[in-house]
Amino acid sequence: MKGIISIQSHVVFGHAGNSSAVFPLQRMGMEVWPIHTVQFSNHTQYKQGWKGRAFSADDINQLVAGIDNIGKLSDCQAILSGYQGSAEQCQAIIHTVNSVKQQNPAAIYVCDPVMGDPEKGCILADGITEQLINDVMPIADVIVPNQFELTQFTGMEINNLEQAKLACEKALTLGPKIVLVKHLHSIADDTFTMMLATADGMYISQRPQLEFNRQPVGVGDLISALFTGGLLQDMSAVTAFEHATNACYGVLKETHKRQEWELQTIAAQAELVQPTEVFHAKVV
């Protein structure tokens, strides 16, 4: 049984982190081995707050060691990481990636480098951003940053498409082989823009921007999972990029139709496999 180790946050209620990533991957036919960096009652943007705690880096290492003990690290096809609860957890991610690749050199590491954004209610512990930039993102095969995170990684300002292309070009010289920018907010106001950069070229995907009273949380986690699943199903990077765009839009449409804040991933599960709307990637 081959699978994906997904090391992310987990919420009991709603869909963020592993709670946004695991089911879509399973619905695409993947086995997922989730490891939680934190376990919260709900995501952190609720005005009432949340309950729960972060796990230690040793908790992550112990769980990975347990998988190794039963001889299954060699069956790990990918490591997917998202929100980290401490700088020490970043080191546990690095240890996990190294351990898996020793057992299976063909495994890929997909890093969603979640960085602090106080305006969105996402606050990180000290040292995490620096660890992501200096130690974690450079060892990733694939990174899935938003515009802010790409700027942090490359040190380059992004205000337009040309600057985004230059930043992606630089990111590809820093270690990753594929860059998927999960949201380029400076490109257009009326459309949601994503960018893909590989050694073969650069592409953008644009789909309608749905208006929500409160923006759903966990969209980036969903995009990262869908893209990872596509790559493991032998889709080309461009096809996986298009699938992630289209499937995510299908989930968001259902969420919008129901006027919900939490992603309606279960209700829209057919979209994860066969999206009803198709937005093609364009070469830029």
Side-chain angles (χ1 to χ4, degrees):
M1 181 177 70
K2 298 185 183 299
I4 301 164
I5 294 177
S6 180
I7 307 176
Q8 305 192 52
S9 61
H10 171 74
V11 292
V12 176
F13 174 82
H15 296 280
N18 269 335
S19 303
S20 181
V22 171
F23 176 73
L25 284 166
Q26 291 172 330
R27 191 63 175 80
M28 289 178 70
M30 308 279 114
E31 289 284 352
V32 190
W33 310 334
I35 296 176
H36 305 326
T37 56
V38 303
Q39 178 157 284
F40 292 161
S41 54
N42 48 274
H43 69 65
T44 58
Q45 293 187 38
Y46 281 85
K47 64 181 180 181
Q48 301 95 328
W50 69 94
K51 301 293 185 182
R53 68 179 183 90
F55 297 107
S56 71
D58 187 59
D59 289 326
I60 296 172
N61 289 331
Q62 288 294 324
L63 292 171
V64 173
I67 297 171
D68 193 17
N69 285 344
I70 60 173
K72 292 301 178 182
L73 279 191
S74 59
D75 288 332
C76 178
Q77 296 174 289
I79 308 97
L80 171 62
S81 71
Y83 178 90
Q84 304 302 305
S86 69
E88 291 76 19
Q89 286 183 345
C90 292
Q91 291 300 312
I93 297 294
I94 294 170
H95 177 72
T96 301
V97 172
N98 291 336
S99 297
V100 169
K101 291 201 171 196
Q102 284 176 0
Q103 301 281 346
N104 178 16
I108 62 171
Y109 171 38
V110 181
C111 174
D112 184 347
V114 180
M115 297 181 187
D117 189 344
E119 291 185 4
K120 289 186 175 181
C122 181
I123 300 171
L124 297 187
D126 292 341
I128 292 177
T129 296
E130 292 77 12
Q131 292 260 350
L132 288 170
I133 293 169
N134 297 324
D135 301 329
V136 181
M137 295 172 75
I139 70 166
D141 298 288
V142 181
I143 59 171
V144 192
N146 59 25
Q147 181 174 312
F148 169 74
E149 292 155 355
L150 180 60
T151 293
Q152 293 291 100
F153 184 47
T154 61
M156 299 178 68
E157 186 176 350
I158 301 173
N159 294 306
N160 53 50
L161 183 58
E162 287 305 312
Q163 289 179 337
K165 289 171 63 177
L166 289 172
C168 283
E169 286 177 358
K170 181 172 181 180
L172 289 172
T173 70
L174 299 175
K177 303 175 186 67
I178 298 175
V179 178
L180 192 168
V181 188
K182 59 196 172 194
H183 187 199
L184 276 174
H185 63 262
S186 292
I187 305 304
D189 292 329
D190 58 340
T191 58
F192 187 94
T193 303
M194 291 164 44
M195 176 174 276
L196 176 72
T198 72
D200 296 326
M202 296 198 187
Y203 310 82
I204 62 168
S205 177
Q206 294 183 300
R207 49 106 172 144
Q209 179 79 278
L210 298 171
E211 294 296 327
F212 290 91
N213 291 329
R214 296 180 296 179
Q215 284 295 322
V217 174
V219 177
D221 308 318
L222 175 60
I223 291 169
S224 298
L226 290 166
F227 187 65
T228 302
L231 292 177
L232 293 184
Q233 290 183 331
D234 294 326
M235 295 182 190
S236 70
V238 175
T239 302
F241 178 52
E242 291 178 333
H243 178 76
T245 298
N246 300 330
C248 182
Y249 182 64
V251 173
L252 284 168
K253 272 201 314 177
E254 186 66 26
T255 306
H256 186 265
K257 183 178 80 174
R258 294 174 181 240
Q259 298 183 320
E260 292 283 353
W261 189 17
E262 295 285 357
L263 289 172
Q264 297 299 293
T265 313
I266 308 302
Q269 61 182 280
E271 295 282 344
L272 302 170
V273 179
Q274 194 71 42
T276 53
E277 293 198 47
V278 175
F279 304 96
H280 292 291
K282 302 174 184 177
V283 178
V284 292

